[in-house]
Amino acid sequence: MDTVLSRHSVSVTDLKRNYATILAQADDEPVAVLNYNRPEAYLVPAPYFERLMQHLEDLEDAQLARERANGPFVEVHPQDL
């Protein structure tokens, strides 16, 4: 069986019938959309998605900083700025 990565789940049929209610009940958490009791998609509220994308960007920035931590470095003199 597939793992459902959400505390809330709904069938595709229920989502079609009750979209607004389901989204309101989910509050600010993702909802697993199930098709034949298997996760087909995840519905996430916009603020949740925005936080998720910001977190991903932060992780990518941290990885880039780790990769560049040991140089090579470019020497720049303050008067050249």
Side-chain angles (χ1 to χ4, degrees), residues 35-69:
N35 191 14
Y36 296 104
N37 291 324
R38 300 179 80 187
E40 182 78 18
Y42 289 91
L43 174 65
V44 294
Y48 184 94
F49 183 77
E50 290 165 4
R51 286 192 313 275
L52 186 64
M53 295 308 294
Q54 183 62 51
H55 183 67
L56 180 59
E57 185 178 321
D58 292 346
L59 290 173
E60 290 171 342
D61 289 346
Q63 177 65 29
L64 186 59
R66 283 190 297 276
E67 290 171 0
R68 294 182 177 177

Side-chain angles (χ1 to χ4, degrees), residues 5-81:
L5 303 174
S6 175
R7 292 191 289 162
H8 305 283
S9 63
V10 64
S11 71
V12 172
T13 303
D14 287 341
L15 181 63
K16 289 178 185 178
R17 291 180 185 154
N18 304 308
Y19 171 79
T21 302
I22 289 167
L23 194 57
Q25 288 174 346
D27 193 25
D28 191 32
E29 296 185 12
V31 176
V33 180
L34 306 179
N35 191 14
Y36 296 104
N37 291 324
R38 300 179 80 187
E40 182 78 18
Y42 289 91
L43 174 65
V44 294
Y48 184 94
F49 183 77
E50 290 165 4
R51 286 192 313 275
L52 186 64
M53 295 308 294
Q54 183 62 51
H55 183 67
L56 180 59
E57 185 178 321
D58 292 346
L59 290 173
E60 290 171 342
D61 289 346
Q63 177 65 29
L64 186 59
R66 283 190 297 276
E67 290 171 0
R68 294 182 177 177
N70 294 321
F73 299 106
V74 175
E75 189 171 326
V76 177
H77 299 284
Q79 66 269 15
D80 295 337
L81 297 176

